[in-house]
Amino acid sequence: MRVTTLARTVWDQLTAATHQRTPFTLAWVATGSAPRAMILRAVDAPELFLATDRRSAKCAELAADPRIGVTVLDDDAGVQVRLRGVGDLVDDPVLRRRAWDSFGPGTRALFSAPLAPGTPIDEATDLTPDTDDATLFDRFAWLRIRVDEIDHLDLGVPGHRRHLMRRDDGWAARRVVP
Ligand SMILES: Cc1cc2nc3c(=O)[nH]c(=O)nc-3n(C[C@H](O)[C@H](O)[C@H](O)COP(=O)(O)O)c2cc1C
């Protein structure tokens, strides 16, 4: 894949955000409903990977409409990157297992709730966390996003700069009005 310098920078920054905490580590991910914060877990251009609970609303929304948007922001640098593409849940058990094995106990524990995210509860609800690793693994969804377009806005340079890059165009950067 031919990649322009700007696109290379974006993919390098996204990849770095999965290895250490950077401004791009916390992404805003939009499916059918309001965007929600999610941790960017892995990058393999042109794909992004995030971990979520397969019982969560976003998974049902994705099944109904695979279009997905991801926004990351470096507030100090004045750089916003919006990525648009399509998402699906990885089926391949080997890929799911490999991702799961890379998670620490804190991340795995995110899947310990016995009820689906968003389920109404009251004082009588039994919220005893499940600890069985196989149960937690079943709930884990490895969300894959194939990025089709990148919209890069840089307010950190005089005059501001905005570029659009498309995967099917070799990520050639086209400058547009900010
Ligand atoms: C700092 C932060 C990081 C989060 N990271 C994730 C994440 O990596 N995966 C995830 O599914 N939810 C994450 N969440 C929770 C989501 O924002 C959201 O509340 C949850 O996934 C339910 O969303 P849904 O009902 O739209 O599916 C995070 C929330 C915060 C505040």
Side-chain angles (χ1 to χ4, degrees):
M1 184 172 32
R2 189 173 65 85
V3 181
T4 66
T5 307
L6 181 58
R8 167 75 60 205
T9 300
V10 170
W11 284 110
D12 285 351
Q13 289 176 337
L14 292 169
T15 303
T18 66
H19 294 132
Q20 74 249 357
R21 185 82 190 210
T22 80
F24 287 175
T25 303
L26 190 64
W28 296 96
V29 180
T31 50
S33 59
R36 77 282 285 166
M38 294 182 77
I39 303 285
L40 189 59
R41 299 275 179 182
V43 172
D44 184 9
E47 294 177 338
L48 309 174
F49 294 85
L50 306 101
T52 195
D53 191 317
R54 64 171 61 255
R55 302 168 295 176
S56 65
K58 66 181 80 57
C59 294
E61 290 170 2
L62 262 185
D65 182 349
R67 288 176 300 169
I68 191 163
V70 178
T71 299
V72 290
L73 172 71
D74 184 340
D75 196 17
D76 290 335
V79 172
Q80 170 188 264
V81 181
R82 287 188 286 175
L83 307 118
R84 298 186 193 89
V86 289
D88 71 342
L89 304 185
V90 171
D91 275 337
D92 185 331
V94 175
L95 295 180
R96 289 184 66 242
R97 174 59 63 183
R98 193 177 299 156
W100 185 253
D101 288 346
S102 74
F103 299 155
T107 300
R108 293 181 187 206
L110 297 173
F111 300 89
S112 63
L115 300 172
T119 305
I121 55 176
D122 60 26
E123 294 70 30
T125 310
D126 181 2
L127 290 174
T128 310
D130 292 310
T131 53
D132 173 47
D133 196 67
T135 302
L136 275 47
F137 178 66
D138 275 349
R139 294 171 183 161
F140 155 61
W142 195 219
L143 168 54
R144 168 175 49 205
I145 299 168
R146 190 201 66 212
V147 177
D148 293 322
E149 186 175 42
I150 299 173
D151 181 339
H152 185 275
L153 176 64
D154 187 350
L155 302 186
V157 292
H160 303 167
R161 282 184 187 239
R162 181 177 175 192
H163 292 88
L164 298 182
M165 292 159 273
R166 292 194 52 82
R167 185 174 54 85
D168 61 11
D169 198 15
W171 301 117
R174 284 179 291 121
R175 197 164 166 201
V176 299
V177 176

